[in-house]
Amino acid sequence: MSASDARRYVTVGGRFEMLHGAIESPTVAYETWGQPTPAGDNAVLLFTGLSPSAHAASSPDDPTSGWWEDMIGPDKPIDTSRLFVVCVNSLGSCFGSTGPASERQEGGTYRLDFPVLTLEDIARAGHAVVEHLGLTRLKAVVGPSMGGMTALAYAILHPGHAEGLVSISAAARSLPFSIALRSLQRELIRSDPAWANGKYAYDSPPVLGMRLARKLGMITYRSAKEWSGRFGRERATDDLAVGARFDIDFEIESYLEAHANKFIGTFDANCYLYLSRAMDLFDVADHGGSVEAGLARIKAERALIVGVETDFLFPLQQQRELAEGLGPTVGDVDFHPLPSIQGHDSFLVDMDRFRPVVARFFEG
Amino acid sequence: MSASDARRYVTVGGRFEMLHGAIESPTVAYETWGQPTPAGDNAVLLFTGLSPSAHAASSPDDPTSGWWEDMIGPDKPIDTSRLFVVCVNSLGSCFGSTGPASERQEGGTYRLDFPVLTLEDIARAGHAVVEHLGLTRLKAVVGPSMGGMTALAYAILHPGHAEGLVSISAAARSLPFSIALRSLQRELIRSDPAWANGKYAYDSPPVLGMRLARKLGMITYRSAKEWSGRFGRERATDDLAVGARFDIDFEIESYLEAHANKFIGTFDANCYLYLSRAMDLFDVADHGGSVEAGLARIKAERALIVGVETDFLFPLQQQRELAEGLGPTVGDVDFHPLPSIQGHDSFLVDMDRFRPVVARFFEG
């Protein structure tokens, strides 16, 4: 992915303290849509899932589609004719923000010398953009998936700074099932000899490990129900001899192969490892001793919590717990369990269900 | 795993026709419990899941525990003081039955020259044991997981030969979600350079690929709910620096590592690939053009279909479809959806729920 012409950068001066270390003068990449009001009361801060860049939507400077194109723009649910939207590339990622693949002042790239990354660090790096833009209060902090956890971290670390909180298909903490899946994804990358303990040449990265990890990710991002309808038992070939090397018999296998191949080359392997582990480590209970105590630190006035019935990576019960936990302090909590069949990825594809829910929140 | 002293062998004379090829004089390993009646009307044929041997339970010849120890024995649900139980090691496996790791007459082992394996082939190899033992009719054909699909194949291929059919946590066909998971497991093995396109030395097998495939299997065999209760977010270590190589932070990761390491060395990689693919290829609809038509070929008098709410590899809906599909011809179909939390593996661990269900079927 080449850098968007819409991409802007903030460099945080001096030493940036992280939860488990520090780095010198990191850069945070971001994009914006719409205009801030003179009163500065219409800003929306958006955090992303693990893999996207800050290019959430098209804009005059970059007319290519963004990862949430249907959600952000004039007259769209996050209406940029009224709202000023800021999306940040996560610290630790590789689309403009400083991460394991970035050059460091003393030369070379960080690789595994990058400090252990947390979502709290990503939230604080996002706040550096907010401060740079002179936004003293946010209309809302928003995020899906990992971004929804980061939005929680932001709301905990900066209580009262955001009037609203929107957390989509996220959770207050990672549970062992999703930890196990992500741990295995990381092991697939680390097991690729080309990973070389993080010291791969950037022109010969661990493509095998990344491809396998991506396939596992794709399986966990969707749902059995959707795939049964889409693929059934369609064969890619009727010639079983073609599969004598056990590669492809069914359409679902072709689909995974094609999509995994698209992913490799766009994401740095070490960055992936850091961001994936940051999701495992996240736990609202780290802020006050329990999930309840952590959520009680959030001083938003309104919250929107959305989850999907077929999401088995972030099961609906986790969003229900979030909504219930926010109730006592936030008061106005809107919980939407959606019957989408596309699993965890629904927020990217089932727009007919997600658009009205998000639109209603921002109309209010 | 060393050969059990209780293990017996049948060698099928001559050419054994498989769906996609043929092999010469295969051996089928089996074990038995109890005694056949003179009328030969008390025999139960048991097929296994992908990985077990025929050692389903202890016996005087082999007092070690079997994989279904709580289910089979005197006064147990499959009561060997009344019933004569025969468990077969699947054709294509590596615990005594002929498979890709077996010697062939012309020297060397089959490896990838073994014909593409199907569950129908495994069912027919099981029938060779039935004929060898002179059993003209079975009280029931029984199997969990892959064995439950093989039991279906047996009942279709030998209509009327088994009075009863017991299919546990199985399905009439594999759907794209489970195909995707198994396809990825096979790719993990095939991606291990040590696999060497199936030509690994037997003393240096692809242990990395097998370990990774086993971890993915373990994740899919259980449930998120069970693990949340068992492991929560317990740390294996509080020292994040220990995980600087991204290996182990949480107990769930230690657990997977320990169990995966136990598995490797016990199962031949090529056999695993063949059996795994046989599950993908299985489709009752191959027998008559539709699942309904295939199931209509089964001439059993009674059927027990069991499934588990938390099984996402063989979701409950698939057992419900089986039960409904068997209704028109079998008539007496008992469908038991169980609320076990251990996912697909429940039939091995949630014995308090499974024992009474199976016991009731065999009392009848």
Side-chain angles (χ1 to χ4, degrees):
Chain A
M1 191 180 288
S2 60
S4 164
D5 287 336
R7 189 182 291 175
R8 305 287 177 266
Y9 302 91
V10 171
T11 297
V12 183
R15 188 175 166 86
F16 182 78
E17 293 291 341
M18 297 167 63
L19 272 190
H20 303 292
I23 50 178
E24 284 301 319
S25 308
T27 296
V28 187
Y30 66 98
E31 292 192 32
T32 68
W33 300 262
Q35 297 297 328
T37 55
D41 58 358
N42 70 332
V44 173
L45 176 63
L46 175 61
F47 289 104
T48 77
L50 189 153
S51 55
S53 73
H55 189 57
S58 58
S59 64
D61 285 341
D62 182 351
T64 63
S65 280
W67 59 265
W68 228 11
E69 186 71 24
D70 284 353
M71 197 63 90
I72 300 165
D75 301 321
K76 291 184 179 174
I78 303 179
D79 184 352
T80 56
S81 61
R82 296 187 294 113
L83 299 168
F84 176 56
V85 180
V86 182
C87 181
V88 294
N89 180 230
S90 300
L91 187 77
S93 178
C94 48
F95 301 121
S97 291
T98 297
S102 302
E103 297 285 330
R104 48 183 181 177
Q105 289 185 334
E106 57 267 47
T109 54
Y110 285 99
R111 300 181 187 268
L112 303 197
D113 291 335
F114 200 81
V116 170
L117 180 73
T118 67
L119 300 190
E120 286 86 344
D121 301 323
I122 296 171
R124 288 191 53 245
H127 191 62
V129 176
V130 169
E131 290 189 317
H132 168 80
L133 295 171
L135 305 168
T136 51
R137 191 145 198 251
L138 298 169
K139 186 89 179 159
V141 58
V142 179
S145 188
M146 185 185 91
M149 300 169 102
T150 312
L152 285 174
Y154 186 93
I156 290 170
L157 294 174
H158 305 284
H161 201 87
E163 182 193 324
L165 166 67
V166 180
S167 180
I168 294 177
S169 299
R173 51 172 28 165
S174 291
L175 291 180
F177 184 77
S178 60
I179 291 174
L181 284 164
R182 280 191 294 267
S183 175
L184 182 55
Q185 286 180 295
R186 296 192 295 273
E187 189 169 0
L188 299 181
I189 295 168
R190 294 189 295 109
S191 297
D192 184 342
W195 181 60
N197 206 28
K199 296 186 181 122
Y200 47 91
Y202 285 112
D203 59 0
S204 63
V207 290
L208 171 64
M210 288 294 279
R211 193 163 54 80
L212 296 171
R214 182 62 173 178
K215 282 193 181 181
L216 180 52
M218 291 176 63
I219 294 172
T220 63
Y221 297 157
R222 307 303 276 237
S223 82
K225 192 173 175 185
E226 183 205 0
W227 281 359
S228 291
R230 259 175 93 175
F231 300 106
R233 287 183 52 82
E234 283 301 309
R235 290 281 181 88
T237 170
D238 269 337
D239 182 1
L240 287 178
V242 171
R245 290 161 294 121
F246 295 98
D247 44 6
I248 303 280
D249 288 316
F250 294 95
E251 277 296 343
I252 182 63
E253 296 175 285
S254 298
Y255 168 85
L256 290 176
E257 180 74 12
H259 281 258
N261 283 334
K262 266 195 242 172
F263 181 70
I264 56 175
T266 66
F267 211 92
D268 176 71
N270 288 336
C271 291
Y272 188 93
L273 295 173
Y274 271 84
L275 289 162
S276 165
R277 190 181 182 205
M279 291 178 77
D280 288 2
L281 294 176
F282 183 65
D283 190 346
V284 166
D286 290 344
H287 302 272
S290 69
V291 170
E292 294 68 30
L295 293 178
R297 294 191 179 184
I298 293 175
K299 303 299 177 208
E301 291 165 28
R302 306 165 59 220
L304 170 66
I305 308 296
V306 189
V308 164
E309 285 171 9
T310 53
D311 186 345
F312 68 96
L313 199 58
F314 289 82
L316 196 54
Q317 181 56 23
Q318 292 201 277
Q319 290 93 50
R320 186 172 290 121
E321 284 164 7
L322 258 187
E324 289 170 2
L326 288 167
T329 44
V330 174
D332 183 2
V333 179
D334 205 1
F335 172 52
H336 279 271
L338 298 180
S340 309
I341 65 161
Q342 294 94 342
H344 184 64
D345 264 359
S346 295
F347 68 89
L348 293 172
V349 281
D350 189 11
M351 301 317 291
D352 288 348
R353 285 205 172 84
F354 274 81
R355 265 189 307 247
V357 169
V358 173
R360 212 168 307 132
F361 183 85
F362 283 102
E363 277 163 12
Chain B
M1 191 180 287
S2 60
S4 165
D5 287 336
R7 187 182 292 174
R8 305 287 176 266
Y9 302 91
V10 171
T11 296
V12 183
R15 190 174 165 87
F16 182 78
E17 293 290 341
M18 296 167 64
L19 272 190
H20 303 292
I23 50 177
E24 285 300 320
S25 308
T27 296
V28 187
Y30 66 98
E31 292 192 31
T32 69
W33 300 262
Q35 297 297 328
T37 53
D41 60 358
N42 71 333
V44 173
L45 175 64
L46 174 63
F47 289 104
T48 78
L50 189 152
S51 56
S53 72
H55 189 58
S58 58
S59 63
D61 285 342
D62 181 352
T64 63
S65 280
W67 59 266
W68 228 10
E69 186 70 25
D70 283 353
M71 198 62 90
I72 300 165
D75 301 321
K76 291 183 180 175
I78 304 180
D79 184 351
T80 56
S81 62
R82 296 187 293 113
L83 299 167
F84 176 56
V85 179
V86 181
C87 181
V88 294
N89 180 230
S90 300
L91 187 77
S93 177
C94 48
F95 301 121
S97 291
T98 297
S102 302
E103 298 285 331
R104 47 182 181 178
Q105 289 184 336
E106 57 268 46
T109 53
Y110 285 100
R111 300 181 187 269
L112 303 197
D113 291 334
F114 199 80
V116 170
L117 181 72
T118 67
L119 300 190
E120 285 87 344
D121 301 324
I122 295 172
R124 288 190 54 244
H127 192 61
V129 175
V130 169
E131 290 189 316
H132 167 80
L133 294 171
L135 305 168
T136 50
R137 190 144 198 252
L138 298 169
K139 186 88 179 161
V141 57
V142 179
S145 188
M146 186 186 90
M149 299 170 101
T150 311
L152 284 174
Y154 186 93
I156 289 170
L157 295 175
H158 305 284
H161 200 87
E163 181 193 325
L165 165 67
V166 180
S167 180
I168 294 176
S169 299
R173 52 173 27 165
S174 290
L175 291 179
F177 184 77
S178 61
I179 290 174
L181 284 164
R182 280 191 294 268
S183 175
L184 182 54
Q185 286 180 295
R186 296 193 295 274
E187 189 169 0
L188 299 182
I189 295 169
R190 294 188 296 109
S191 297
D192 184 342
W195 182 60
N197 206 27
K199 295 185 181 122
Y200 48 91
Y202 285 112
D203 59 359
S204 63
V207 289
L208 171 64
M210 288 294 280
R211 193 163 54 79
L212 296 171
R214 182 62 173 178
K215 282 192 182 182
L216 181 51
M218 290 176 63
I219 294 172
T220 62
Y221 297 157
R222 308 303 277 237
S223 84
K225 192 172 176 185
E226 183 205 0
W227 281 0
S228 291
R230 257 175 95 175
F231 300 106
R233 287 183 52 82
E234 283 301 310
R235 290 283 181 85
T237 169
D238 270 336
D239 182 1
L240 287 178
V242 172
R245 289 161 296 121
F246 295 97
D247 44 5
I248 303 281
D249 288 317
F250 293 95
E251 277 296 341
I252 182 63
E253 295 174 286
S254 299
Y255 167 85
L256 290 177
E257 181 74 13
H259 281 258
N261 284 334
K262 265 195 243 173
F263 181 69
I264 56 175
T266 66
F267 211 91
D268 176 70
N270 288 336
C271 291
Y272 187 93
L273 294 174
Y274 271 84
L275 289 161
S276 165
R277 190 181 182 206
M279 291 178 78
D280 288 2
L281 295 176
F282 182 66
D283 190 345
V284 166
D286 291 343
H287 302 271
S290 69
V291 170
E292 295 67 30
L295 293 178
R297 294 191 178 182
I298 293 175
K299 303 298 177 209
E301 292 165 28
R302 306 164 59 219
L304 171 65
I305 308 296
V306 189
V308 164
E309 284 170 10
T310 54
D311 186 346
F312 67 97
L313 199 57
F314 288 82
L316 196 54
Q317 181 57 21
Q318 292 202 277
Q319 291 92 50
R320 186 173 289 119
E321 284 164 7
L322 258 187
E324 289 171 0
L326 287 167
T329 43
V330 174
D332 183 2
V333 180
D334 206 2
F335 171 52
H336 278 272
L338 298 180
S340 309
I341 65 161
Q342 293 94 342
H344 184 62
D345 264 359
S346 295
F347 68 86
L348 293 172
V349 281
D350 189 12
M351 301 317 292
D352 288 347
R353 285 206 172 83
F354 274 82
R355 265 189 307 247
V357 169
V358 173
R360 211 167 308 132
F361 182 84
F362 283 102
E363 278 163 11

